[in-house]
Amino acid sequence: MEPAVLGGKLASSLIAPLVKRLFVADGPGAGLVDKPVRLKDLVSFKGEKRVLNEKDVRRLAEHVVQQAMDSPGERPFRSAEQTAVADALARRLLALGDLDMDDVQAVRLGHRELAKKLHHQAPAPDGLSTDACYFLDSATEWACLQILEFFTRRSTFVARTLVEQTRSQAELIARIDELIARSPRPGSQDRTFERRYLPYVAERHNHITIYGIDLRDSPDRWPLEVAYLSLEATATEERHLPDEHPGAAFTVQLPAEEALLTHDRVLLRGDAGSGKTTLVQWLAVTAARDGDRIPYVLPLRTLIRAGQLPTPATFLTSVGCPHTPPEGWTERVLTAGRALVLVDGLDEIPSADRHRTRDWLQSLISGYPGNNWLLTSRPTAVRPDWLASEGFRELTLAPMRRPEVKTFVERWHAAAQAPEFETPLLDSLSTKRDLARLATNPLMCGLMCALHRERRGYLPTDRKELYDAALTMLLARRDRERGMGALEGSELGEEAQLEILQRLAYALVLSGRTEMDVETAEGIVERCLPTVAGQGDARTVLRDLLLRSGLLRQPANGAVDFVHRTFQDYLGARYAVEEGHLDVLLSHADDTQWEDVIRLAVAHARPRERVVVLRQLLSRNEPRLTLLALACLEHATALDPGVRTEVETRAAALIPPRTREDAHFLAGAGPLVLELLPGPEGLTDEEARAVTITASVLGAGEPDGALAVLRRFRDHRSLAVRRQLAGTWDRFDTREYAVEVLDHLSRDDLFVVCDSPEHLDALRLMRPWHRLTIHGSSSPAEIIDAVGDPDTVDVLGLERNETLSTLEELMAFRSLGALWLKDCVNVRGLGRLSELPLTELTFNHIADPYGLRALHGLTRLSLDQRFLSGHLHDHLPQDAPLEYLYLGRNTLTSIGLRGLERWPTLTTLSLDRMDTPLSAGDWQEANRLPALRNLVLNGSLDGYAVDAMPELPSVEHLRMPTQGGVRDRLRTLASRLPALRTVTIKTYGRKVPLDLYASFFPTAEVIDDRL
């Protein structure tokens, strides 16, 4: 029956007089009693003032049902069910006397929730038709609405609530006065301090050194706005969408400075010189100027040197901030969720200190939720998912691509006022592959620019020669180019400086640190002075090196480090070779922190020493060390051919790679790997995918060789292989890759992602794509123009599109069955989508989701949208036959799972990670889904309050990421899901011991999902 018709049959004029008879007559006065008036004392069919009995209540219910049946028009349900419906309604009305609440509490609860309580107290009998149940629920709600209306009109209710409000306000005022007396308001002091602190942070971090620009009369520090280059970050996990979403497995790519826009906790990995610290500075300066977050820049090497990691109260003093905040200011900022905490350099502290650093971070995060956290590290410093249990998203800074290298070179030469060298250098980088391969990060690009200008257009082509030239430039130029003599009598030549610097570097390498005390450094210099020709004492020489060498710096009072870890490793390796300490280096080969040192030592070593190093690496018979030996070949220009062959043969046994992790590790050995990659013939699907990953990673430095490998796999049928090929488009020339690879791929279940206008234009060169994802603010007209025939598009994803507001122009996609709107923040109104054959919709953070309830054909819905109030059924299409529902963190936080029972067709429920645990009431909603078979938890079990979860006997399949340190939660979860048949653990290709999960779920099959 239509709701409007049913509403007419349950009009207020019918129910109101009957409801009034259920309660005792009102009395005068304010009703001021010692205890609240319970409902059981107000109903007229219980207690001493009883005027009705249960039979009378049943007659009232029968009268309501009869009036509805006799009303003109369609009957609400079959006549044969009239008695059963009347009995059920009577039981619900009688249940009013059993509720443990008073009238004020009932009014606060609202008529719908009150009706639910009566429904649970006296459920409907089995066998009622859907129409009868619908009438019964509606009649209960209408009755509850009239009951609450009746309560609010009672004189005693009005008087008593006014008195209670007066009392509550008086008590609240007294408590606030007491609190203010104990703790004076800090607001004005905090604001005054922040007006000093934020400009200090903005100025403190707004300058960086661009290598080689500090020549002649140029300044040695440049504004961040001039020097900063936006780099790309990639997520190691798959695209952050529901896992069951077909075709959603693409690597996420985004500008690095936007890392914290969609995730408040990020672990950013990047190679030496990739720009991690510069990004930290950019985020700090941006936040300080915008004023929306309070930035704290915490370099770990400085913090560790002090011994004790800082508490919030000592954040500023630990990094040498000259301003003293009001007492408790940092704690108040963190408690309010206003902080941007930037922890830089996890790889620059010893391995032994990383565990307590993680404990320190976990303590801060759990104590102060709601803030933004960024942690930086070299790629291999810690294992994958090192902080996954704390909700950290892992991103990796990608190597600079050709457009980014070009932009960097142009900015460098503009800043250095040397335009005449810009074009020749760009030409060299375009034509010399070996040279271009070195220009993959800002550090190396800066050195190349400086050396190119320094040598009037000549550049070395290998890493060792490049570093040698850079050191000569940095150390020998001070007198010749700046016209400066020695400071305070210190006079050291280039070789003498190198001798001291490499001893300092080697001491740091041996200690596993990147920073040492000034006293320690002076001691090393003092022991070195007798062997070098120079003047001055140790303190003077060290200060001279700090001021003039361009290689040393003083990051904090009492500390010394190298301007970049690359120089420390290079000089440390040089000293180890000169002193015959190769055995010391090899004894640390198991430590990833020593990889670069060993590779550079091979570059410095004599041919016979290289043989010793490589054979010892091979003798350990460990895959990583075999690949390390292979990587060392890049620097072994002179080597016994037999040893080179042995290394290559042993490395060939590790190829093909079998997992994503293996592929990335293999790519670290360098472009030589491209010559050894097999396939596709004779490879399993997993091996074929890993080979394409390896070639994709190497594509940034060796596009021609990598493209030759990927071209061989373009006819592969595996979806995982095709996804990898489609997802690496941006690493290659857009048009060439579209024609040579993309256009040949089978379109079955496959998306193509357009990250730029060039990608969009390249669509015209290819056969139609039925599934498209388009990043950026292209207008619908531009998209339609690039697609050509919009009728061929079945699935369309739009991401970070700020141009899109109305969905009018999307009506051209008349065959569209699925639409994703991710971070399209200006979109308003979804109602027009009802004109499309849409069965699937994904969206988040749109301006206005109005019209969602009109999409009656949806079977799959994924949303991460904040709602101000209400239940799910107030916002989602109630009559849609939903089978799959994904709820993001914003939706879960704002309305939880309330109202979920309205979709009994749901078979899959997927929940984002949670900051605020679900309640028992939320989980009860899931318990009322008869068809629920699949449960997907996308975060740590700590966030889901599994203790409050009831038994879900219909759930047969569970999917979740790896869980760390939550054994009690796993045990509890297993007890709540007794019918489980499979448990899928999302490992993203990492090696995870599945035996642990099998022990908790003994009756289920545990599956490793590596995608």
Side-chain angles (χ1 to χ4, degrees), residues 751 768-772 784 787-797 808-820 832-841 858:
F751 278 80
W769 282 89
H770 309 300
R771 299 175 173 228
L772 284 169
I784 292 170
V787 169
D789 183 4
D791 281 348
T792 62
V793 179
D794 302 325
V795 182
L796 179 63
E808 182 73 28
E809 292 182 81
L810 295 186
M811 297 304 104
F813 294 91
R814 292 176 297 183
S815 301
L816 201 63
L819 176 65
W820 306 348
R832 282 302 305 271
L833 298 178
S834 63
E835 301 176 23
L836 298 175
L838 212 63
T839 60
E840 179 178 351
L841 176 64
L858 293 181

Side-chain angles (χ1 to χ4, degrees), residues 514-518 521 542 546 552-555 558-562:
T514 59
E515 192 175 281
M516 67 171 62
D517 295 331
V518 168
L542 180 62
L546 285 166
L552 285 185
R553 66 177 181 175
Q554 199 162 3
V560 174
D561 71 352
F562 282 84

Side-chain angles (χ1 to χ4, degrees), residues 500-572:
I500 296 173
L501 289 168
Q502 66 188 23
R503 291 194 187 191
L504 292 171
Y506 190 56
L508 287 171
V509 168
L510 288 177
S511 68
R513 299 179 182 273
T514 59
E515 192 175 281
M516 67 171 62
D517 295 331
V518 168
E519 293 80 5
T520 304
E522 288 177 355
I524 294 173
V525 174
E526 186 172 2
R527 290 190 294 274
C528 188
L529 283 179
T531 64
V532 300
Q535 301 174 1
D537 58 22
R539 177 173 296 182
T540 301
V541 170
L542 180 62
R543 183 166 56 195
D544 198 359
L545 289 172
L546 285 166
L547 292 173
R548 306 270 295 281
S549 73
L551 287 173
L552 285 185
R553 66 177 181 175
Q554 199 162 3
N557 289 333
V560 174
D561 71 352
F562 282 84
V563 293
H564 205 281
R565 176 72 172 272
T566 296
F567 291 120
Q568 174 185 308
D569 291 347
Y570 181 79
L571 289 168

Side-chain angles (χ1 to χ4, degrees), residues 602-816:
V602 170
H604 286 293
R606 292 171 283 276
R608 65 177 182 275
E609 293 171 328
R610 291 170 179 164
V611 170
V612 172
V613 172
L614 294 174
R615 281 186 169 158
Q616 287 201 34
L617 290 176
L618 294 178
S619 69
R620 305 277 285 277
N621 199 27
E622 295 178 15
R624 192 186 68 80
L625 297 185
T626 300
L627 291 177
L628 177 58
L630 182 65
C632 289
L633 294 183
E634 177 186 359
H635 309 295
T637 51
L639 181 65
D640 182 335
V643 175
R644 182 182 296 274
T645 301
E646 183 180 356
V647 172
E648 293 177 353
T649 301
R650 290 280 295 277
L654 301 174
I655 299 172
R658 290 161 182 80
T659 66
R660 175 185 290 272
E661 187 179 47
D662 293 342
H664 281 275
F665 189 74
L666 186 61
L672 179 63
V673 169
L674 291 172
E675 301 174 17
L676 303 174
L677 291 176
E681 296 80 9
L683 299 182
T684 65
D685 289 349
E686 291 78 10
E687 290 171 342
R689 177 173 180 264
V691 167
T692 57
I693 292 174
T694 304
S696 298
V697 173
L698 292 169
E702 284 286 338
D704 294 336
L707 184 61
V709 174
L710 297 177
R711 191 185 294 116
R712 302 202 304 259
F713 290 83
R714 63 190 186 184
D715 295 323
H716 207 284
R717 300 303 302 175
S718 166
L719 178 59
V721 173
R722 290 184 286 122
R723 282 177 175 171
Q724 177 61 36
L725 292 173
T728 196
W729 186 7
D730 62 323
R731 295 177 184 267
F732 299 89
D733 178 80
T734 298
R735 298 175 67 85
E736 181 181 18
Y737 195 83
V739 172
E740 294 293 326
V741 178
L742 290 182
D743 196 31
H744 296 265
L745 298 178
S746 169
R747 305 305 200 248
D748 295 343
D749 297 324
L750 185 65
F751 278 80
V752 67
V753 179
C754 297
D755 280 321
S756 66
E758 291 76 19
H759 284 175
L760 203 58
D761 289 341
L763 289 179
R764 300 183 178 91
L765 305 175
M766 298 182 281
R767 294 176 292 120
W769 282 89
H770 309 300
R771 299 175 173 228
L772 284 169
T773 296
I774 300 171
H775 295 172
S777 297
S778 300
S779 68
E782 291 171 332
I783 296 172
I784 292 170
D785 180 57
V787 169
D789 183 4
D791 281 348
T792 62
V793 179
D794 302 325
V795 182
L796 179 63
L798 303 177
E799 298 193 11
R800 300 197 303 273
N801 191 318
E802 298 180 1
T803 300
L804 190 66
S805 55
T806 66
L807 303 178
E808 182 73 28
E809 292 182 81
L810 295 186
M811 297 304 104
F813 294 91
R814 292 176 297 183
S815 301
L816 201 63

